[in-house]
Amino acid sequence: MNPSRREFLGSGLAAAAWLTLPGARAASALTRRRSGFGAAVAWADLHADPDLAEAVKTYCTQIVPVYELKWGPLRPTRDAFAFGPADALVDFAERNEMKMRGHNLVWYYGLPDWTREIASPAEAERELTRHIETVVSHYRGRLASWDVVNEPIPDNPKSSRDRRETLWTHFLGESYAGIAFRAAAAADPNARLVVNEYDVEFADPTSQMKRAALRRFALDLLDSGAPLHAIGMQCHLRGDRPIDRDGVTRFVAEMRDEGLDVYVTELDVQDQYLPAPAAERDAIVAQRVQDVLSAISAPAPIGTLLTWGLSDRYSWISQMFPRPDHTPNRPLPLDAGFQPKPFMAAIEKFTRPLA
Ligand code: XIL
């Protein structure tokens, strides 16, 4: 809420007058924000769709950019930093009393073509460090946390020591991660620094191994003295894949015992193999959300919980995992008309209203 509106609401009479303005948001909507809850948004969508902006303001205390801080959009050439769209997002967040998270600083995917010219360990370290120093200092004091390393574990790890091969491991081996965390901490000592990973929530052996590898990755970083503060569990859930509730709770408890926080960073549910009827599908989606959030919150309440998009109107799942029957996907807490679904009720069970 901006200060003028808050002052306006401060007086009962003025508030009553405001509520009667045509198109005004209902007072109850202002109370729907949950502490620590937020969503990923793309600037182009937020800018073009006032209903999306309204929904974000109604429900969220945090946002994270879908694209705008990734290397591809941010670094069109070796010397360019295209901060405009991410600046617009952080301005939107601050105007509306929300926090923004940073996503991400190191990722195997979506690197701009010019990075293929990098030819030596020294050059790799120089470019990695320059990127992190420049980007993190640009937002110093304004972003709550950064996904410093995104998705370091391969899809099918053979052992807990397996690491995804990337441009950075090619030149720097595993040292790239410590370099990245130290550069981020130096550029913004107050940002919480995160390693973020997907497919660590499920009961099958591949997911269990991925979780073991993420655990090893985090412990090695801590042992090396790197400033790692939190594990991000992306939670791109599958409607047809059971959650390893006990395994997830054990993992979260162990990470917390190591002094790390655990965030839910990209929650959504792929529903392409679920039954078509909306009510039935929404109930299964909400059950998966309930399963994973109850497992993660068993050791301690979840303080940071973001979904990857807020409304079914804007989700990567519609492009990446469309349904064979061509009915629209329903992967997110609000439907395509911005009405809350059982998914939102599940989130509300694991978050507190704003005080
Ligand atoms: C996705 C975006 O949503 C897509 O639109 C894009 O094409 C690819 O990236 N894990 C992550 C996110 O960390 O950055 C990804 O976002 C989804 C998986």
Side-chain angles (χ1 to χ4, degrees):
M1 204 187 319
N2 62 40
S4 57
R5 182 171 284 180
R6 175 192 278 161
E7 280 160 26
F8 202 34
L9 284 173
S11 119
L13 272 178
W18 176 72
L19 286 172
T20 62
L21 289 177
R25 197 155 26 128
S28 60
L30 296 171
T31 65
R32 292 203 153 194
R33 285 190 181 192
R34 315 290 294 186
S35 179
F37 174 68
V41 287
W43 172 244
D45 299 336
L46 196 67
H47 186 61
D49 185 345
D51 291 339
L52 174 63
E54 196 58 28
V56 171
K57 289 189 233 175
T58 300
Y59 288 95
C60 295
T61 60
Q62 297 200 51
I63 58 169
V64 62
V66 175
Y67 307 105
E68 290 78 355
L69 289 170
K70 291 173 175 171
W71 277 67
L74 194 56
R75 303 297 309 284
T77 67
R78 194 186 277 248
D79 291 313
F81 289 82
F83 285 122
D87 287 356
L89 280 171
V90 77
D91 287 345
F92 169 85
E94 289 172 353
R95 272 201 314 278
N96 293 290
E97 297 184 1
M98 296 174 210
K99 296 247 162 74
M100 188 159 102
R101 305 194 63 238
H103 174 83
N104 55 57
L105 296 169
V106 185
W107 194 22
Y108 74 98
Y109 183 82
L111 287 170
D113 285 348
W114 64 262
T115 57
R116 290 196 212 141
E117 295 159 14
I118 294 174
S120 70
E123 192 185 1
E125 181 164 352
R126 201 165 57 240
E127 288 298 349
L128 182 63
T129 309
R130 177 163 88 115
H131 177 85
I132 294 174
E133 278 172 356
T134 309
V135 175
V136 177
S137 0
H138 183 83
Y139 295 106
R140 183 183 359 249
R142 297 180 79 188
L143 301 193
S145 58
W146 268 106
D147 293 331
V148 178
V149 174
N150 198 35
E151 305 180 348
I153 312 299
D155 285 342
N156 288 293
K158 302 285 169 288
S159 86
S160 65
R161 294 267 166 211
D162 257 9
R163 301 291 174 263
R164 197 186 280 280
E165 287 174 25
T166 70
L167 170 68
W168 311 112
T169 58
H170 177 72
F171 286 114
L172 301 170
E174 291 190 24
S175 74
Y176 83 91
I179 293 169
F181 275 92
R182 287 189 182 87
D188 187 349
N190 292 320
R192 309 308 287 165
L193 305 183
V194 182
V195 53
N196 196 39
E197 189 54 271
Y198 69 95
D199 280 6
V200 294
E201 301 85 11
F202 308 115
D204 50 278
T206 308
S207 187
Q208 291 187 1
M209 185 59 88
K210 216 169 158 175
R211 196 182 317 134
L214 178 61
R215 168 186 178 280
R216 189 70 268 151
F217 182 91
L219 295 180
D220 286 351
L221 267 178
L222 289 178
D223 285 348
S224 76
L228 168 68
H229 305 123
I231 303 287
M233 299 180 70
Q234 292 187 3
C235 296
H236 290 294
L237 306 183
R238 319 288 202 284
D240 53 326
R241 212 167 158 185
I243 304 295
D244 182 357
R245 299 178 56 171
D246 291 346
V248 165
T249 297
R250 272 197 306 277
F251 170 76
V252 172
E254 187 183 358
M255 293 298 99
R256 289 194 175 280
D257 285 347
E258 294 290 339
L260 297 174
D261 205 343
V262 178
Y263 297 172
V264 173
T265 51
E266 306 187 12
L267 177 62
D268 57 14
V269 185
Q270 293 166 30
D271 64 336
Q272 73 270 43
Y273 303 122
L274 296 184
E280 197 180 337
R281 209 185 323 160
D282 290 353
I284 299 170
V285 163
Q287 185 61 50
R288 289 286 179 243
V289 170
Q290 155 86 30
D291 287 351
V292 85
L293 296 184
S294 66
I296 295 172
S297 65
I302 303 170
T304 293
L305 195 180
L306 289 96
T307 47
W308 202 246
L310 185 61
S311 150
D312 295 339
R313 193 182 294 189
Y314 302 102
S315 169
W316 71 312
I317 287 177
S318 314
Q319 274 85 56
M320 298 282 289
F321 311 102
R323 288 176 55 83
D325 65 6
H326 305 298
T327 59
N329 293 89
R330 303 178 63 85
L332 286 167
L334 305 183
D335 71 14
F338 298 101
Q339 294 308 306
K341 297 187 298 179
F343 188 149
M344 186 58 90
I347 284 171
E348 287 171 351
K349 277 202 221 164
F350 295 94
T351 50
R352 286 175 295 106
L354 276 192

